[in-house]
Amino acid sequence: MTNQPKILLIDDEDDILEILEYNLRKEGFLVFTATNGAEGLEKARVIKPDLIILDIMMPEMDGIETCKHLRAINELRNTVITFLTARNEDYSQLAGFEVGADDFIAKPIKPAIFISRIKALLRRMNIQVDNLQPLVVNAGNFKIDRERHLVSRNGENFHLPRKQFDFISLLASKPQKVFTREEILATVWGNDMLVNDRSIDVHIRKIREKLGDDSIKTIKGVGYKMEE
């Protein structure tokens, strides 16, 4: 998952963190959280995020001071930092820009607008954000967790080999869509010329044996699809 943009959320309100984390993960971002400025600084040094979302009003070390410390870290000089604040006073924004903030997002937050702003900020850095694959996909009876490389069904977890996981992830990415054998070979196996149609049949059989589920349907003469 190294191609997923990394975002660090720093906010002392758990409900805000939960909402933002959920919406960002749903879009396919790698999301890390911190509940105060000191913890945020520590995680930022390790994670080196592409973007930091930072609340202004926090106890002990507020967002302005945290931002100042973040900008003093050489590896984070080009990281996008946007403040999250319910305060609209000009002096707050001026103070934020003076310590290196790139933008402000006002509370209350509308998820769709929030996501659009975040994508726009990342595009300024030429980071691809339009074709991200969600890290967690629910399709039919399955839950596909790409970050944990895990398939779940009704609370039961299954660890599949890489190709089988990539196979089921592809089908789950667009339930009801029939993926042709050519599409599956190109996406899952790429340029491996030693793989043929028989490989698909073998992997489908093994997946069905392990999962014991009939959500994967064979469309004779065409390919496979996953039922909702």
Side-chain angles (χ1 to χ4, degrees):
M1 305 304 296
T2 55
N3 292 329
Q4 306 299 117
K6 294 181 289 186
I7 296 178
L8 174 61
L9 299 171
I10 307 174
D11 198 309
D12 63 321
E13 297 184 54
D14 291 338
D15 56 340
I16 295 293
L17 283 179
E18 184 177 351
I19 292 169
L20 298 186
E21 182 179 10
Y22 170 78
N23 282 280
L24 289 167
R25 284 185 179 276
K26 190 171 65 172
E27 292 294 318
F29 295 106
L30 281 174
V31 185
F32 305 86
T33 64
T35 57
N36 58 68
E39 181 187 5
L41 284 170
E42 183 178 344
K43 288 191 174 182
R45 288 190 179 95
V46 176
I47 298 163
K48 298 179 178 60
D50 299 295
L51 184 144
I52 296 172
I53 301 170
L54 178 60
D55 187 33
I56 283 187
M57 299 299 294
M58 293 188 294
E60 299 182 17
M61 184 186 298
D62 65 17
I64 300 295
E65 186 179 356
T66 302
C67 183
K68 185 187 299 183
H69 288 296
L70 287 167
R71 285 300 187 216
I73 301 172
N74 286 331
E75 296 89 343
L76 301 177
R77 288 188 179 276
N78 295 321
T79 296
V80 175
I81 298 178
T82 182
F83 277 115
L84 190 65
T85 179
R87 299 174 62 182
N88 295 318
E89 297 94 333
D90 290 341
Y91 74 84
S92 292
Q93 296 196 17
L94 287 172
F97 287 130
E98 285 178 359
V99 294
D102 296 289
D103 201 0
F104 280 78
I105 298 176
K107 300 176 184 179
I109 300 164
K110 295 182 179 180
I113 296 175
F114 169 74
I115 292 297
S116 295
R117 291 281 293 276
I118 294 305
K119 288 183 175 181
L121 288 167
L122 288 169
R123 288 191 192 101
R124 294 182 193 174
M125 301 173 62
N126 296 317
I127 294 176
Q128 176 58 251
V129 296
D130 295 317
N131 297 308
L132 296 176
Q133 291 294 321
L135 296 180
V136 178
V137 176
N138 292 291
N141 295 324
F142 293 117
K143 177 180 178 181
I144 315 297
D145 190 328
R146 295 165 60 86
E147 188 174 19
R148 298 168 61 201
H149 203 83
L150 187 67
V151 177
S152 303
R153 190 194 67 236
N154 300 326
E156 184 177 3
N157 295 330
F158 302 88
H159 293 276
L160 302 180
R162 177 63 181 270
K163 293 302 181 185
Q164 292 177 28
F165 182 83
D166 290 346
F167 196 134
I168 198 168
S169 293
L170 176 64
L171 298 185
S173 68
K174 293 183 179 179
Q176 301 295 351
K177 169 183 166 59
V178 179
F179 287 89
T180 66
R181 289 173 172 267
E182 291 77 13
E183 286 179 292
I184 294 169
L185 284 171
T187 304
V188 177
W189 280 274
N191 297 321
D192 189 346
M193 302 303 294
L194 299 178
V195 176
N196 54 35
D197 283 2
R198 179 60 180 161
S199 298
I200 296 178
D201 297 330
V202 170
H203 280 278
I204 282 289
R205 186 181 73 250
K206 289 182 177 179
I207 290 172
R208 285 170 170 161
E209 287 175 355
K210 291 176 182 177
L211 302 182
D213 194 281
D214 61 355
S215 293
I216 299 175
K217 301 296 183 182
T218 301
I219 310 301
K220 290 186 177 180
V222 183
Y224 297 92
K225 71 174 183 177
M226 179 173 283
E227 296 283 4
E228 281 280 23

